[in-house]
Amino acid sequence: DAEIIALRTAQVVIDLRDQLGFGAGHIPGAFGIGAGEKVSMWASWVVPYDTPILLVSGGASADVELAVRNLVRVGLDTVEGYLDGGMTAWIEAGLPLRETPQITPRDLSARLAQGTIQLLDVREDNEWAEGHAAGATHIIAGHVGANLSQVPNGTRPLAVMCGSGYRSTVAASVLERAGRDDVVNVTGGMTAWRMAGLPTVKGGPS
């Protein structure tokens, strides 16, 4: 149950909920890897092997079953269970909760212009080359954990952006596990940025 998970330290928690669910509140240190076929790929990038894994879902048992099958497929076969009752049970037990704030592209654009926030773009190289927000730093999502020294640091919060919000949630959770407490996630990612008519630039360091 929730108390048992809270007491265990030699474990990894994978939260299978979507960007907004994860952002609204999750177990501190959990990886935010949304349910579906992509879970195995992203887990293989960021989750340590040979460590007990516990899952958190949005309530659908099918999500847990599919996640277990997909994780086994990439050698992550140490899933020991899931959080019975989901985050509702965790919250009702009064256990620690971590939030990842969300920011809209328009608010992000305004704050970038004011110089009050930094931006990490975690999309692939080809996506970056097609256009990105001016002033962004580029590190592919799966490489963030191995390149923490290249992640912008300082006194300003760090916004993380991908194409839609899925990969940025993964990257944000990696940064949080590494000790960053100033991370915010860009809702809708570059897709929403472009839909809002905000400018992009090409070129620059990647």
Side-chain angles (χ1 to χ4, degrees):
D1 60 15
E3 288 87 349
I4 293 173
I5 290 178
L7 288 171
R8 297 183 58 180
T9 55
Q11 65 187 17
V12 166
V13 176
I14 298 178
D15 194 317
L16 300 170
R17 295 173 301 152
D18 62 18
Q19 170 188 351
L20 297 180
F22 182 83
H26 53 270
I27 297 172
F31 287 105
I33 308 176
E37 297 295 337
K38 296 179 181 179
V39 68
S40 58
M41 179 182 72
W42 287 106
S44 69
W45 273 107
V46 302
V47 173
Y49 279 73
D50 301 320
T51 303
I53 296 171
L54 299 169
L55 303 176
V56 176
S57 77
S61 60
D63 287 347
V64 172
E65 294 169 3
L66 178 60
V68 171
R69 291 198 299 271
N70 286 335
L71 291 170
V72 168
R73 192 174 302 154
V74 294
L76 290 165
D77 54 5
T78 55
V79 178
E80 295 193 344
Y82 64 95
L83 178 58
D84 189 20
M87 287 306 298
T88 299
W90 183 270
I91 294 167
E92 289 176 349
L95 295 168
L97 195 67
R98 178 77 181 260
E99 296 181 2
T100 303
Q102 308 292 309
I103 188 170
T104 68
R106 287 195 181 279
D107 287 343
L108 172 62
S109 178
R111 292 187 61 182
L112 286 171
Q114 296 164 358
T116 59
I117 200 167
Q118 303 171 99
L119 177 60
L120 176 65
D121 188 321
V122 298
R123 296 175 300 150
E124 296 293 320
D125 289 341
N126 64 311
E127 295 174 291
W128 169 268
E130 290 171 358
H132 51 271
T137 298
H138 180 221
I139 304 174
I140 295 171
H143 298 172
V144 168
N147 293 278
L148 293 173
S149 63
Q150 299 178 30
V151 176
N153 208 339
T155 59
R156 293 173 294 166
L158 177 67
V160 185
M161 173 189 280
C162 67
S164 64
Y166 183 97
R167 290 170 289 174
S168 58
T169 300
V170 178
S173 68
V174 170
L175 291 167
E176 289 177 357
R177 281 179 59 89
R180 294 293 293 261
D181 59 4
D182 59 350
V183 178
V184 299
N185 201 9
V186 182
T187 308
M190 182 54 71
T191 299
W193 178 279
R194 289 196 170 107
M195 288 181 65
L198 297 168
T200 61
V201 297
K202 295 185 178 181
S206 63

